[in-house]
Amino acid sequence: MIIVAAHSGSYPRIGDSLDQQKLRRAIESCQRGELSELELKNAQDNVAREALAEQIKAGLDAVSDGQVRRHDAVSHIMGQLPGVSVQGLLRYFDTNTYFRQPHVTSAISESGPLLADEVAFARAAAKRPVLVSLLGPLTLSRLSLIKGAPYKNADALLEALTPILAEEAARLAQAGADAIVIEEPFLLKEPAALSKLGEALKAIAARKGNLRLWLSITFGDAAKLYSKLQDLPIDGLQLDLTYGGAVQDAIQSLGSQLALSLGIVDARNTRLETPTDVARQAESLLKKARGPIAMLAASNGLEYLPRGRAFEKLAVLAQARDLLVDQKGNQ
Amino acid sequence: MSRQQLEALGLKLPLLPTTSVGSLPKLPKLVAARAAARRGQITQAQLDAQAREATAFWIQKQEELGLDILVDGEQYRGDMVAYFAEHFKGFTEGGLVRSYGNRYYHKPVITDAVSWPGPITVDWWKYAQSLTKKPVKGMLTGPYTIMDWSFNEHYPNRRATALAIARELRREVEALVAAGCKIIQVDEPALSVRPEELPVAIEAMQAVTQGLQAYFITHVCYGAFEFIYPDMLQMPVQNFDLEMSNSELDLLTLFAKAPFRPDISFGVFDVHTHRTDSPAVQAQRIEKALEVLKPEQVWVDPDCGLKTRTVEQALAQLSAMQQAVAQVRQGL
């Protein structure tokens, strides 16, 4: 088993120093009409390069573009689809951050790349494996509001979103992504939707080519669903291990037929873990996992942390990986 | 029952008493003064003088509008959690994190045992109350929300953190009660974020309010109420101040399934829009409320604090609310 330290989600787009706040200033300037859209895109590119460089400096094996271009995870995807208008703010799960709610007002359709351009940029800039995460059809359908569209309910919207996301998976493979991480935090609020989600993942898996397909369950403990998640048509399962420990017990008890990505450093709190503790916990869990690869990861996107601490958390992951590799000689 | 409690406290309120949730827009002069204070160009005393002037402005405006229970408008506060983190011992200012879009804030970090430093809001409440004969609410942020919206590097878990904050916040409540404050609002906008932790929020509120002689309100907004209703009614307060209009009154559907028995401060207009809903529209919302709630239960207010509105917008919206209530009262 290869053990890697990896990050697939968001990275803080500004920091506390003046220089680290250039994207914030660029957006403000653009809103005042003092900066062109092209100049704003250049500023975003620069911050994406910084996010990639900081992840590499922290010692990660696989990185993301930090999602610095996304207003939020929901509207960035839904807002690109015909038939959708982006409206007011809603709280995003158990965070003190907000997303703009999509209103689906007519039939949605596939209209070109959603994230593929961003991945191609990251792949060229990072020169190492790039992971891309995006919300899956279950969560997107539940966080959208259907207003007069030809969808009788959220399940119908889920079914309409699935081929669009499957097409995007094919584009992401062509763009050079090494893995796609489908985030489905809403599954914990609606466990009965698991079979619907399974069908959607099957359709996405059919178009992904050589990409590894991961499912990520965050904003809660997935213990109650854990055994059923093992049957999904995915390559790996990314789990948030910071919600009390029940899912760790499930892994210990049931093992894993799937590759595991352990969301083992807390992306929601500044308290810094030690590499030794992370390595010890990971070693115990990964003994139970199959699959050719295992990932050490943050429990969630890192945008909930100050930038300096986000970097330190990633460095802990890399140091824990080194401890595991040294102990096992397994890479 | 709650009306009897209010009368026992010496408060006789009309049917459908009107109030505001808490924050009111900062006057442009005060905004400039706060910026100058951050740059070190004016002293804290000079800034406080500006905040007192703005408080007096809002007390006068609320009286002119005819509101029944007034607020100080929180002219001396910034963020609702950061304000208390700046005053309680045990917190340090954290780095910048994103709230939404291009907005960022310094999220507090708990690095040591939280402790009450002495009265924080009491002098401001006394000042506001000295300007009016109408009751002025004491305004605090609740322990669960302070916990949830802070990083924790000191306590072993979230429950321990919330209860530690609650024990210290109670001392502020006791100080407000001792000063004569009879209506105290303890805001918990984070109440619904983790439904499985509702018992923790209830336990923490119990630690704040138990046995104290005051009428307690909690304000909750922008949450997934469907996951915590009706269990949330176990919060030990007399009045739930709820955002209703932003969600198109869909909470009334929940109330129809499981009766809402405490008092409610019913949000009759969305605060995140420049639009002013007409008195007729707001009156319709009150009438809808009265289809499932008794008039004796219902207070009327905006969905949330008005600090994101301009002074003119807030005055127009509150004026329309007062007209709506007057219209509905005539039919009772």
Side-chain angles (χ1 to χ4, degrees):
Chain A
M1 177 187 289
I2 298 172
I3 299 173
V4 299
H7 183 57
S8 63
S10 60
Y11 194 77
R13 58 194 79 185
I14 75 163
D16 289 329
S17 74
L18 197 60
D19 180 60
Q20 288 178 329
Q21 295 185 26
K22 51 186 173 292
L23 181 56
R24 183 188 199 178
R25 293 194 298 274
I27 292 170
E28 288 169 356
S29 297
C30 190
Q31 287 169 343
R32 289 196 299 266
E34 298 164 3
L35 203 68
S36 70
E37 290 290 336
L38 180 61
E39 288 169 313
L40 176 59
K41 181 181 178 306
N42 289 338
Q44 290 171 328
D45 286 349
N46 286 335
V47 174
R49 283 191 197 94
E50 285 179 8
L52 290 161
E54 289 184 24
Q55 292 170 74
I56 292 167
K57 185 180 175 188
L60 296 195
D61 305 291
V63 294
S64 84
D65 76 343
Q67 303 178 355
V68 301
R69 297 173 178 82
R70 304 186 192 186
H71 179 282
D72 59 75
V74 182
S75 68
H76 189 73
I77 301 295
M78 294 298 292
Q80 295 186 61
L81 303 179
V84 175
S85 69
V86 173
Q87 299 291 326
L89 296 169
L90 284 181
R91 191 186 305 285
Y92 189 63
F93 291 93
D94 67 5
T95 72
N96 189 20
T97 63
Y98 298 81
F99 70 97
R100 295 185 301 178
Q101 189 178 37
H103 286 196
V104 181
T105 55
S106 59
I108 60 171
S109 58
E110 198 273 325
S111 66
L114 299 170
L115 299 170
D117 294 346
E118 297 164 22
V119 167
F121 175 90
R123 195 70 177 86
K127 297 184 172 54
R128 70 179 56 198
V130 167
L131 311 179
V132 57
S133 66
L134 72 159
L135 287 177
L138 173 67
T139 299
L140 287 173
S141 67
R142 271 44 177 182
L143 297 185
S144 299
L145 193 62
I146 299 169
K147 298 203 79 151
Y151 305 111
K152 63 179 181 183
N153 55 33
D155 279 348
L157 180 59
L158 182 159
E159 289 168 11
L161 280 164
T162 297
I164 296 172
L165 296 179
E167 183 64 26
E168 184 63 13
R171 287 202 192 94
L172 291 171
Q174 289 174 353
D178 292 84
I180 179 171
V181 180
I182 300 288
E183 298 178 355
E184 286 289 12
F186 208 91
L187 184 62
L188 295 179
K189 292 184 180 295
E190 193 182 334
L194 183 63
S195 63
K196 287 274 182 194
L197 176 61
E199 292 167 23
L201 289 171
K202 189 176 175 185
I204 293 170
R207 299 296 315 278
K208 72 180 179 65
N210 292 326
L211 274 179
R212 287 183 196 277
L213 177 61
W214 295 77
L215 176 68
S216 173
I217 307 293
T218 51
F219 295 114
D221 190 293
K224 289 180 181 170
L225 282 170
Y226 180 77
S227 63
K228 293 178 180 171
L229 294 174
Q230 291 289 325
D231 297 329
L232 292 173
I234 53 178
D235 299 304
L237 189 57
Q238 179 157 313
L239 298 166
D240 185 333
L241 304 186
T242 65
Y243 274 77
V247 77
Q248 287 92 316
D249 293 341
I251 296 170
Q252 292 285 6
S253 163
L254 301 171
S256 179
Q257 300 300 311
L258 297 168
L260 288 181
S261 175
L262 304 175
I264 200 165
V265 297
D266 193 341
R268 306 286 305 283
N269 196 9
T270 49
R271 179 159 24 204
L272 195 60
E273 296 82 356
T274 69
T276 309
D277 285 346
V278 170
R280 187 181 302 126
Q281 188 185 2
E283 182 183 29
S284 168
L285 295 171
L286 293 179
K287 279 179 185 169
K288 307 288 183 177
R290 297 191 178 180
I293 191 168
M295 295 201 290
L296 305 185
S299 63
N300 208 313
L302 289 164
E303 67 176 326
Y304 308 109
L305 289 174
R307 187 152 160 184
R309 187 47 57 100
F311 173 80
E312 291 171 323
K313 294 255 181 181
L314 294 182
V316 166
L317 289 177
Q319 291 162 30
R321 172 209 57 206
D322 291 345
L323 288 172
L324 287 170
V325 171
D326 286 347
Q327 287 167 13
K328 301 292 181 189
N330 60 353
Q331 262 189 311
Chain B
M1 190 66 176
S2 293
R3 289 219 151 232
Q4 290 170 2
Q5 186 174 352
L6 285 163
E7 287 177 13
L9 289 166
L11 297 168
K12 190 161 176 59
L13 300 174
L15 283 178
L16 307 180
T18 57
T19 187
S20 192
V21 172
S23 68
L24 292 167
K26 291 193 172 56
L27 304 186
K29 195 173 158 189
L30 178 59
V31 173
R34 288 171 65 87
R38 277 195 295 275
R39 291 192 296 267
Q41 293 167 336
I42 65 170
T43 64
Q44 183 64 42
Q46 288 171 308
L47 178 61
D48 287 346
Q50 291 284 337
R52 275 195 298 276
E53 192 178 307
T55 303
F57 169 86
W58 279 115
I59 292 291
Q60 183 185 338
K61 288 298 176 190
Q62 290 172 89
E63 287 214 322
E64 288 171 5
L65 289 166
L67 279 94
D68 299 301
I69 301 101
L70 310 192
V71 295
D72 69 12
E74 302 178 10
Q75 299 297 293
Y76 50 93
R77 302 188 196 182
D79 175 79
M80 64 184 291
V81 168
Y83 175 76
F84 288 96
E86 287 161 9
H87 286 80
F88 277 113
K89 294 173 184 169
F91 287 86
T92 57
E93 183 180 86
L96 284 166
V97 296
R98 198 162 74 104
S99 175
Y100 65 92
N102 204 31
R103 288 176 181 253
Y104 297 82
Y105 70 108
H106 288 280
K107 186 168 177 174
V109 188
I110 301 170
T111 53
D112 204 346
V114 174
S115 69
W116 184 65
I120 300 169
T121 63
V122 176
D123 283 348
W124 285 107
W125 177 82
K126 283 182 182 172
Y127 172 64
Q129 186 63 80
S130 75
L131 301 171
T132 179
K133 289 189 166 48
K134 292 188 172 179
V136 176
K137 289 193 280 191
M139 301 296 308
L140 304 170
T141 303
Y144 184 80
T145 296
I146 293 177
M147 176 276 293
D148 192 62
W149 293 2
S150 302
F151 294 123
N152 165 39
E153 298 186 8
H154 179 75
Y155 293 101
N157 54 50
R158 288 166 61 86
R159 177 175 175 271
T161 311
L163 294 181
I165 295 168
R167 281 192 293 274
E168 298 305 309
L169 192 68
R170 180 185 175 91
R171 301 175 71 184
E172 180 73 9
V173 175
E174 290 170 342
L176 279 168
V177 172
C181 186
K182 294 173 179 173
I183 302 176
I184 299 175
Q185 185 170 309
V186 185
D187 292 342
E188 288 288 18
L191 185 66
S192 71
V193 297
R194 296 192 184 189
E196 71 278 12
E197 285 186 348
L198 182 63
V200 173
I202 292 169
E203 186 180 6
M205 186 65 85
Q206 191 80 36
V208 171
T209 64
Q210 189 169 35
L212 296 177
Q213 293 303 306
Y215 178 90
F216 286 99
I217 304 171
T218 188
H219 170 64
V220 188
C221 57
Y222 306 107
F225 293 103
E226 65 271 27
F227 295 109
I228 59 169
Y229 188 84
D231 292 348
M232 64 183 264
L233 299 182
Q234 293 170 32
M235 287 281 279
V237 297
Q238 286 74 47
N239 187 317
F240 288 77
D241 183 347
L242 301 178
E243 155 251 331
M244 303 291 293
S245 297
N246 174 62
S247 51
E248 299 176 1
L249 309 188
D250 59 3
L251 284 179
L252 290 178
T253 312
L254 292 179
F255 297 171
K257 291 176 186 167
F260 186 96
R261 300 199 188 284
D263 291 349
I264 183 170
S265 296
F266 192 95
V268 290
F269 64 87
D270 182 4
V271 301
H272 290 139
T273 174
H274 302 305
R275 182 190 70 236
T276 296
D277 289 334
S278 68
V281 167
Q282 296 193 38
Q284 283 173 2
R285 292 180 182 139
I286 300 169
E287 299 282 8
K288 279 276 186 195
L290 294 177
E291 289 175 9
V292 291
L293 299 162
K294 296 175 186 166
E296 294 78 13
Q297 284 179 279
V298 178
W299 296 27
V300 177
D301 69 352
D303 266 359
C304 196
L306 288 163
K307 68 180 177 183
T308 60
R309 300 297 95 216
T310 66
V311 172
E312 293 73 23
Q313 286 166 353
L315 289 172
Q317 291 169 331
L318 289 171
S319 175
M321 180 182 87
Q322 288 298 114
Q323 293 172 57
V325 169
Q327 183 182 321
V328 177
R329 277 176 181 160
Q330 285 180 348
L332 294 177

